[in-house]
Amino acid sequence: MTNTSLQIGDVYALQEKEIGKWFAFQIVQIGEENAVYIDLDYWSEMIPEENDLNKMSYLRLNHHLWNNETKQCWAPIKFFPSHAKKVGNMPIRPFEECKSFGNWPNGSQQKWTEKWKKLPKDQVLAFKEAHTKWNETIIVAGKEVKKNLYGLFDDTLSAVKDYSEFDKLPGLGRITTTKDNPQLIPFLERRFLIRELVWDNCQRRELDLSRTHLEEVEISGEDIEVIILPSSISNLTLRGKLSPNLCIHSPNDGYSMVLRVELHDDFLPDVGLSRLTNLRLTSIQDFNLKDIPARYPGLTWLGLAGKPGYIREVSEISNFRELETLTMDDLFGFSADDFPHPGSLPELRHLWIESVPAEAGKIIKKLYKGNIQDLQVLKLRSVEWLHENLNNPLRNWDGSELVPKSKYNKSVALWKETRRRMMEEASHAELDFSAVKCIAIDYAEGFNKLDRRSSFIETEEREDIFNAFEQILNETGLSEFKEEIIQLIDEKRSW
């Protein structure tokens, strides 16, 4: 049913939570259950008044890869923010057809617009220009590369003595490395538009990124005890074994930041970040939620994913009174009685659970249906299924709309036979590497055959197939050959 209090042309204001400034948006189209809004260019410490309307226009986005465009979005009328302040009504201007669906605005577009206005203009102009000239090439570190190259890896990073060589690449946005070069951090500090850093096996005790302009950081390394983040950070991912002494410093103590942790042996150190709003834990095998609400009481998003695994004291989730989104995947060991009831999570808007106990999932779906904005309960599992698929890396395909059941069964059979052959080869006193390569080729060609008549392998499935073989290499102690074998599979595949 349409909320008749919303009218086309209405302008509303909200306060952005992190900085505290006010922003505005306009209702430009109203449907039966959803309405289209467009962000406006108001961004101030003062609450807008009706006499401010004549100064407002549609916000033109130019941050990142936006090119002077407006952002319009369908959002559910039922969940229109009750604390929004109506400023008034003004005529709407022409706008493009809206094809995107999402949530009501949170001020992020206005915030990014202001941030990009403060960046060095020469770097912004060069970045934008590089990403419009797709075919232009340049010689860097002795190799011909596209001028709009976005990412650098160890092979190129190690090929130069002076990182100023990379100033030829104004479109850079990501650095991926496994090595420590003293030039790296200073380079990141002077390149305002490099927004991503992936650093595997970092061996520093203290990693100071405070003067960089990174938005996304992914780190592994059990020696790290201190990470100092920049004010620009939005996502931090920690992988592998972590030091129990790890402490993370962020200018806003984690507010408006996503912390992703790929758990090792279910260990999550208390890293600080007392104002963290978004926590996502993966690779759970057997994890207890007991201490999490006390560490991060202000969470608005909690994501939990198993290996698959067991999750204990699920009832603790009810202590996250500000929680808006909860996701659970491949997790067992709880019942519907353990799960929070709708009334205990007053701000919850999105509940996505997949591959959980069947009995619990059915009851949870019934309890929450019609009570929240977005409910997805998929792939409910029996105890027998869990026992059969505990170590099956393709288990997510079971029940997928994109993977027919017959294709799933044949894929699992192919993986099991490949694993059996690899285990047998690895058990020999002397490894016959040519035999290992033959097994890898048969694996690739097996999936070629399965995908031939009716294609079902897309990006996610492709990654699963590679990861499944990597799991075999790890199990057989042959991970040292990972790069060569994965490249061989890549060459032989047609999917």
Side-chain angles (χ1 to χ4, degrees):
M1 182 180 294
T2 301
N3 183 337
T4 54
S5 64
L6 287 183
Q7 301 293 325
I8 290 177
D10 282 351
V11 173
Y12 286 86
L14 285 167
Q15 191 173 27
E16 195 276 330
K17 291 182 178 180
E18 181 184 3
I19 297 174
K21 286 191 174 184
W22 288 82
F23 64 94
F25 59 96
Q26 184 178 32
I27 307 298
V28 297
Q29 187 176 343
I30 298 177
E32 189 172 330
E33 297 181 347
N34 301 285
V36 177
Y37 71 85
I38 295 183
D39 284 295
L40 300 176
D41 60 359
Y42 188 86
W43 182 245
S44 172
E45 294 178 355
M46 303 296 293
I47 303 174
E49 302 294 341
E50 191 168 9
N51 57 13
D52 292 314
L53 291 177
N54 60 1
K55 305 171 190 173
M56 295 185 192
S57 299
Y58 292 157
L59 179 65
R60 294 283 172 179
L61 303 180
N62 283 290
H63 64 79
H64 296 93
L65 294 178
W66 288 89
N67 186 24
N68 204 37
E69 301 155 281
T70 60
K71 178 183 180 292
Q72 46 270 353
C73 181
W74 287 98
I77 296 172
K78 181 179 179 181
F79 295 103
F80 184 82
S82 58
H83 54 290
K85 178 185 182 297
K86 185 173 180 179
V87 182
N89 188 288
M90 67 179 185
I92 64 173
R93 299 170 177 83
F95 63 94
E96 294 183 7
E97 179 186 359
C98 181
K99 298 180 181 179
S100 64
F101 287 78
N103 297 319
W104 292 100
N106 58 13
S108 61
Q109 297 300 339
Q110 288 85 350
K111 187 167 63 174
W112 278 118
T113 296
E114 289 304 306
K115 283 185 177 180
W116 272 62
K117 285 180 180 178
K118 297 174 183 177
L119 298 179
K121 289 185 179 180
D122 57 337
Q123 290 192 31
V124 171
L125 290 173
F127 178 86
K128 295 280 188 181
E129 183 182 7
H131 286 281
T132 59
K133 297 182 177 180
W134 295 99
N135 296 318
E136 188 173 336
T137 61
I138 193 171
I139 302 298
V140 175
K143 296 181 181 179
E144 184 179 18
V145 299
K146 287 190 174 182
K147 192 174 181 179
N148 67 355
L149 184 69
Y150 186 77
L152 288 178
F153 297 86
D154 277 341
D155 56 345
T156 308
L157 292 167
S158 301
V160 300
K161 293 182 178 179
D162 189 341
Y163 273 24
S164 62
E165 174 78 357
F166 303 133
D167 290 340
K168 299 176 182 177
L169 299 168
L172 280 181
R174 180 195 300 120
I175 302 292
T176 302
T177 186
T178 60
K179 301 175 181 179
D180 192 346
N181 189 307
Q183 297 184 73
L184 177 59
I185 303 300
F187 177 68
L188 293 172
E189 290 175 350
R190 62 184 176 84
R191 289 294 297 266
F192 283 71
L193 296 174
I194 297 181
R195 57 185 298 269
E196 299 176 56
L197 171 64
V198 179
W199 193 340
D200 279 329
N201 193 31
C202 176
Q203 297 181 6
R204 296 193 183 190
R205 191 194 71 81
E206 179 175 314
L207 182 60
D208 186 356
L209 303 172
S210 61
R211 291 177 296 278
T212 69
H213 316 280
L214 296 165
E215 298 167 22
E216 300 183 18
V217 174
E218 183 175 326
I219 297 287
S220 70
E222 61 180 300
D223 294 329
I224 308 174
E225 294 188 356
V226 178
I227 300 176
I228 307 174
L229 297 170
S231 59
S232 53
I233 195 71
S234 61
N235 287 269
L236 172 64
T237 300
L238 303 174
R239 295 189 296 102
K241 190 174 181 180
L242 301 175
S243 167
N245 301 318
L246 178 61
C247 183
I248 300 172
H249 300 278
S250 172
N252 54 11
D253 289 328
Y255 194 86
S256 292
M257 188 185 96
V258 180
L259 174 62
R260 292 182 174 87
V261 184
E262 183 181 298
L263 295 175
H264 179 82
D265 292 337
D266 293 305
F267 175 62
L268 180 67
D270 187 354
V271 298
L273 302 176
S274 60
R275 299 181 66 214
L276 187 72
T277 50
N278 194 317
L279 176 65
R280 308 187 191 188
L281 305 178
T282 65
S283 297
I284 292 172
Q285 298 179 73
D286 196 331
F287 188 78
N288 195 311
L289 290 171
K290 182 178 66 173
D291 298 328
I292 305 304
R295 291 186 194 176
Y296 309 116
L299 287 185
T300 59
W301 184 309
L302 176 62
L304 304 167
K307 206 171 182 177
Y310 296 91
I311 193 76
R312 311 297 182 182
E313 303 206 39
V314 169
S315 60
E316 289 291 324
I317 294 174
S318 63
N319 291 316
F320 296 113
R321 304 295 293 176
E322 299 177 44
L323 198 65
E324 298 173 4
T325 300
L326 173 62
T327 71
M328 297 177 67
D329 184 20
D330 262 351
L331 287 171
F332 303 87
F334 65 94
S335 68
D337 290 337
D338 300 323
F339 202 85
H341 283 223
S344 65
L345 297 171
E347 301 300 324
L348 194 67
R349 296 289 180 267
H350 311 279
L351 176 59
W352 306 320
I353 58 178
E354 182 173 320
S355 191
V356 298
E359 185 176 343
K362 290 174 184 176
I363 297 174
I364 292 167
K365 185 175 183 178
K366 186 176 180 181
L367 285 171
Y368 278 88
K369 189 174 182 179
N371 288 316
I372 58 174
Q373 175 180 331
D374 187 5
L375 174 65
Q376 294 183 38
V377 181
L378 306 170
K379 300 180 184 177
L380 301 183
R381 309 301 196 190
S382 65
V383 174
E384 292 75 21
W385 181 93
L386 178 60
H387 290 158
E388 291 173 5
N389 291 277
L390 191 62
N391 296 309
N392 172 12
L394 303 178
R395 60 183 172 274
N396 287 336
W397 295 9
D398 189 8
S400 169
E401 295 178 356
L402 302 176
V403 183
K405 185 68 173 179
S406 61
K407 301 276 190 180
Y408 166 71
N409 290 334
K410 290 177 181 178
S411 296
V412 172
L414 173 59
W415 176 79
K416 286 182 176 179
E417 175 61 13
T418 302
R419 180 178 180 275
R420 184 197 64 77
R421 292 173 63 191
M422 287 287 286
M423 295 288 281
E424 184 178 333
E425 286 299 328
S427 67
H428 296 159
E430 291 189 17
L431 180 68
D432 183 353
F433 192 60
S434 62
V436 170
K437 290 197 288 186
C438 284
I439 296 171
I441 292 171
D442 290 345
Y443 181 78
E445 293 180 344
F447 279 106
N448 289 348
K449 184 177 179 181
L450 284 173
D451 198 50
R452 191 167 294 144
R453 289 189 177 180
S454 56
S455 178
F456 70 98
I457 300 175
E458 301 294 341
T459 302
E460 187 173 337
E461 290 75 27
R462 189 178 303 119
E463 291 179 1
D464 288 340
I465 292 169
F466 279 116
N467 290 337
F469 201 93
E470 286 183 31
Q471 180 174 314
I472 295 174
L473 291 173
N474 292 333
E475 283 186 81
T476 53
L478 300 176
S479 57
E480 62 184 297
F481 303 111
K482 170 185 167 182
E483 187 173 342
E484 185 174 351
I485 294 298
I486 294 300
Q487 184 176 342
L488 179 62
I489 294 173
D490 194 34
E491 291 171 357
K492 299 297 180 181
R493 70 178 177 89
S494 59
W495 28 271

